[in-house]
Amino acid sequence: MIELLMTVFSATFFVTVIRTTTPLLFATLGGLISDLSGALNVALEGMMLIAALTAVIVSVYAPWYVAVLSGISAGAMLGALMAFFHLRMKADIILVGFAVNILATGGTVFALAQATGGDKGTSINLPSKGVPSVDLSFLEAIPVIGRTLKSLLSGHSILSWLAVLLVFAVWYFLYRTPYGLWLRGVGEYPAAPEAAGIPVNKVRAWSLIASGALAGIGGAQLAMFNYIGFTRDMTAGRGFIALGAVLLGARHPVGAMLAALLFGVFEALAIVMPNLFNWIPGELIQTIPFAVTALALVLFSYRAQRALQRRNAAKA
């Protein structure tokens, strides 16, 4: 137990938490935006998976930033595809989302085999690039705390810093701009914005596109920094965990960030615990993030029921 505590409170574990949280945070922000618009995006998993493979393949032939942009574009196009089928063709948004996930599961294996000349499991034969890390070695010059700051803050992905900025950018958009008010109004009670002349379907379409783009960044981070290369089904349920983080975070950007960070901690524990406790099956440890997701959904449901009971009691 002491060894576990020493590991958890080490700088290495903190770096691991940031690494595991970053792709999840991007997906969580994407899920938050679509959820607030009233169009729940259950295809985050498939979007991340397709974006990850797209970024890896493009990085073989182009600079890393072009590869990241290609991953973002892939996610955004999938969001536009969902918007078309849901809003124009009137298909159920949940069914469309699951269709995207199924397409991603099989389609990425087929595309990977074509890109690697037959390998259906990994892109190890492709000389793909990675997202550069931010070097903050100058922090070491700060007296007393310089070395600690360097070990905690230096070496993170550029996209990790972007994720933190996006949390506050999304917060500002949602609560300080008229467009954010439109989006929240469309999700809460679409009849009122529609009566005011706000294009409800257009708002929802753009929210799905933005949701896909954010999931695409998460996929690019996963395949170009957390791991260098693509592996079959490498998202491993992160898209579904992101949906749980949206609910656990009370559908608020800062709350979603804290929830994603919590899940990132448990994922990091699943990484380091097999090295500390060899007697615990690795498969059992890997279920920790999913068990926490289920618990988060139960807690959210309980909190929602309590809030509904209080509102009914107040009306009575």
Side-chain angles (χ1 to χ4, degrees):
M1 182 59 69
I2 295 177
E3 189 177 0
L4 176 61
L5 290 176
M6 291 178 63
T7 300
V8 168
F9 289 101
S10 67
T12 303
F13 184 76
F14 176 82
V15 171
T16 303
V17 169
I18 299 302
R19 182 184 291 254
T20 56
T21 299
T22 299
L24 187 59
L25 179 54
F26 280 121
T28 301
L29 290 175
L32 174 67
I33 289 176
S34 62
D35 183 46
L36 289 176
S37 73
L40 182 64
N41 186 0
V42 299
L44 294 172
E45 177 83 2
M47 290 174 168
M48 291 180 70
L49 194 60
I50 291 176
L53 178 59
T54 302
V56 166
I57 293 176
V58 172
S59 73
V60 176
Y61 308 100
W64 69 267
Y65 51 86
V66 176
V68 172
L69 289 175
S70 69
I72 296 172
S73 300
M77 286 189 290
L78 288 171
L81 183 67
M82 288 186 66
F84 172 77
F85 281 103
H86 173 54
L87 301 174
R88 180 64 65 86
M89 307 303 291
K90 305 302 179 183
D92 183 82
I93 186 68
I94 304 298
L95 295 180
V96 174
F98 278 116
V100 171
N101 289 332
I102 294 171
L103 171 67
T105 301
T108 51
V109 174
F110 174 77
L112 178 63
Q114 299 303 308
T116 59
D119 194 336
K120 298 181 180 180
T122 177
S123 66
I124 192 172
N125 295 325
L126 295 178
S128 57
K129 302 180 182 68
V131 174
S133 58
V134 178
D135 184 10
L136 300 177
S137 299
F138 64 88
L139 292 175
E140 195 170 6
I142 300 176
V144 183
I145 62 172
R147 182 170 297 179
T148 302
L149 286 177
K150 177 191 172 184
S151 61
L152 292 176
L153 301 179
S154 184
H156 297 299
S157 163
I158 290 177
L159 298 181
S160 294
W161 293 99
L162 175 62
V164 176
L165 293 176
L166 276 177
V167 170
F168 297 100
V170 170
W171 172 84
Y172 185 86
F173 169 77
L174 290 175
Y175 298 101
R176 291 294 184 271
T177 68
Y179 300 107
L181 180 61
W182 287 10
L183 187 145
R184 289 184 290 120
V186 165
E188 290 292 335
Y189 188 62
E194 190 172 17
I198 296 173
V200 172
N201 283 350
K202 187 175 181 180
V203 171
R204 284 181 173 166
W206 279 110
S207 72
L208 284 170
I209 293 172
S211 178
L214 287 168
I217 306 178
Q221 162 76 12
L222 189 63
M224 296 183 65
F225 192 84
N226 290 34
Y227 310 97
I228 304 300
F230 181 85
T231 304
R232 180 175 182 175
D233 296 329
M234 68 183 303
T235 48
R238 287 177 175 84
F240 298 111
I241 294 176
L243 291 177
V246 171
L247 300 179
L248 184 62
R251 304 173 75 204
H252 189 279
V254 177
M257 177 184 69
L258 296 177
L261 185 62
L262 175 64
F263 287 121
V265 169
F266 281 102
E267 186 178 343
L269 282 175
I271 294 174
V272 302
M273 284 182 66
N275 298 325
L276 302 176
F277 303 101
N278 296 328
W279 52 273
I280 301 179
E283 294 79 6
L284 180 62
I285 296 175
Q286 291 171 1
T287 63
I288 291 177
F290 301 98
V292 174
T293 303
L295 179 62
L297 295 176
V298 171
L299 292 175
F300 175 81
S301 178
Y302 174 76
R303 185 173 58 187
Q305 290 178 359
R306 289 292 300 272
L308 180 60
Q309 291 174 357
R310 286 195 297 267
R311 285 197 297 268
N312 292 337
K315 290 179 181 179

